[in-house]
Amino acid sequence: MLMTILDGSIVSVAMPAIQDDLHFTPVGLSWVVNAYLIAFGSLLLLAGRLGDLLGRRRLYLAGTAVFTAASALAGLAGSPEVLLAARFLQGLGAAMASAVSLGILVTLFTGSRERTRAIAVFSFTGAAGASLGQVLGGVLTDALDWHWIFFINLPVGLATLALALPALPADRGLGLRAGADVLGALLVTGGLMTGIYAVVEVEQYGWTSAHTLGLGALSLALLAAFAVRQARARTPLMPLRILRSRVVAGANLVQVLMVAAMFAFQILVAAYLQRVLGYGASATGLAMLPAALVSGAVSLTVSARLNARFGERRVLLAGLALLVPALALLTRLPVHAGYAGDLLPVMLLTSGFGLAMPALTTLAMSGAGEQDAGLASGLFNTTQQIGMALGMAVLSTLAASRTESLVRSGRPTIEALTAGYHLAFAVGTGLLAAAAAVAATVLRSSRR
């Protein structure tokens, strides 16, 4: 988890250096992120089910090894083609390992209290990866070069394998006969890959272009065919019984809305710091660090106790109640903001994510039986990636469109940029409010 999240955040601050060194075009540069995102997001559901069928330990170890080897290839890349291929392989390895990680946790920690603590530690490592990525990305790029943002994965990956081999008990899995639906696998992977590709290309083509609408329609058709296939197949890849759980379905919907807003927060606040306030790569990472630290500290120290005492639904609502005003404050950022007065309060309010994410993870996994733990884990990680892709595409596009409109009308560039970010943050606030409404009405209160 640490390595996967670190890799996502560490790349963002090194993009200008990668572009200059490998001579990426502006459109081609976006694929340093997109190649990873498409492979990761589209293969999670398939990988989660394969973990149930072939054994979660086996898939976890294989995915970690693939990710680590692909990181070495990315660090050695001397051309755009090699780097993009390595990023796709990183996404493949990340999907294999991440899809079954939660499934491993819920089967190893069966007691309610110990499972809650394990998920809190799991969420903390994600926040630690985000904070390390933002700081290390700037420091390594400035002090050494961009190649080291990938080499940093090697010691983490090797340590993970060394610890996991003796620690994880062997599991045989259900066997391919319990769900070896090849046609279903092709349909769901093709549908997710097409849909995520359409979303990440929105900024280039626009929402109403034939490219976006055509690929979106194709993605929906493939996913609809997958649903029909799963209802009729003798050994379905994704038994539809998992979606009959109100808790599982509601938790995944809340996650899409919440992650869309918070992923855009991470990207757009960093862009505001650099493009409006003039921060460098290292300064941007340090400025964002308090948000990751407070979120990680809350998830590690108090979230498990609060979940045990008040129930996950109430803790989730409390976390969202902190996140809504955090993004609302960002809609008032001035052109010449002071860090202590304008930005630090927002960073501290993001501690709500440290409350919300462990509670949401526990809810999403609690509605699945042991035989579907890998599938539930893969589904939860898939909706997380979909939320990230939608948040990045929708809010970035809104901000860019608003900025371009104001520049054409004669407004100074910095003022236009700030107004564009204001619009994106306002929409993000609405997404968080919608997530709170779903959590309050759809998710049942958890009892202790």
Side-chain angles (χ1 to χ4, degrees), residues 72-121:
L73 179 61
L76 295 170
S79 67
E81 294 78 13
V82 174
L83 181 58
L84 295 183
R87 291 290 285 164
F88 188 90
L89 289 174
Q90 277 188 308
L92 170 63
M96 293 168 65
S98 300
V100 296
S101 55
L102 281 173
I104 291 173
L105 280 185
V106 299
T107 52
L108 286 181
F109 300 96
T110 56
S112 175
R113 189 176 297 272
E114 65 177 5
R115 177 182 294 181
T116 301
R117 292 186 63 188
I119 288 177
V121 173

Side-chain angles (χ1 to χ4, degrees), residues 1 26 134 154 212 220 237 271 311 399 427 444:
M1 182 68 170
Q134 289 161 350
L154 301 185
T212 301
L220 291 175
L237 178 71
V427 175
R444 298 189 187 94

Side-chain angles (χ1 to χ4, degrees), residues 151-401:
F151 289 145
I152 196 69
N153 290 329
L154 301 185
V156 181
L158 294 174
T160 301
L161 289 170
L163 291 169
L165 282 168
L168 297 182
D171 58 327
R172 295 178 58 85
L174 302 174
L176 288 177
R177 292 183 179 180
D181 181 13
V182 177
L183 177 59
L186 294 175
L187 288 171
V188 70
T189 303
L192 289 172
M193 192 170 289
T194 304
I196 294 173
Y197 171 73
V199 169
V200 300
E201 289 287 87
V202 160
E203 193 167 353
Q204 180 181 353
Y205 291 96
W207 286 101
T208 58
S209 67
H211 180 276
T212 301
L213 294 177
L215 288 177
L218 176 61
S219 173
L220 291 175
L222 290 172
L223 293 175
F226 170 72
V228 172
R229 170 69 181 176
Q230 299 313 286
R232 298 179 178 178
R234 180 178 301 177
T235 56
L237 178 71
M238 189 186 83
L240 296 181
R241 62 177 178 270
I242 193 171
L243 296 178
R244 299 189 188 116
S245 168
R246 186 176 179 180
V247 175
V248 171
N252 279 279
L253 177 57
V254 169
Q255 177 171 233
V256 169
L257 296 168
M258 183 177 74
V259 169
M262 295 309 296
F263 189 72
F265 159 81
Q266 182 180 354
I267 297 298
L268 295 180
V269 169
Y272 168 81
L273 290 170
Q274 292 180 316
R275 300 180 67 186
V276 176
L277 300 186
Y279 282 35
S282 300
T284 298
L286 291 172
M288 299 286 288
L289 183 60
L293 290 179
V294 296
S295 179
V298 168
S299 68
L300 183 64
T301 58
V302 300
S303 63
R305 290 198 295 270
L306 293 176
N307 285 334
R309 182 169 182 179
F310 299 107
E312 288 84 4
R313 177 177 173 271
R314 291 179 179 177
V315 175
L316 171 60
L317 289 171
L320 290 170
L322 291 173
L323 293 176
V324 170
L327 258 66
L329 285 174
L330 292 174
T331 64
R332 302 171 59 85
L333 282 176
V335 173
H336 303 290
Y339 183 79
D342 295 313
L343 287 163
L344 185 58
V346 175
M347 302 297 171
L348 298 179
L349 282 172
T350 57
S351 60
F353 194 75
L355 292 176
M357 200 61 192
L360 189 62
T361 305
T362 303
L363 286 167
M365 297 302 296
S366 66
E370 183 175 343
Q371 72 275 16
D372 293 327
L375 175 60
S377 174
L379 177 63
F380 189 72
N381 281 288
T382 298
T383 57
Q384 186 176 88
Q385 293 302 309
I386 290 173
M388 288 181 180
L390 286 173
M392 183 170 61
V394 175
L395 300 190
S396 296
T397 302
L398 287 174
S401 299

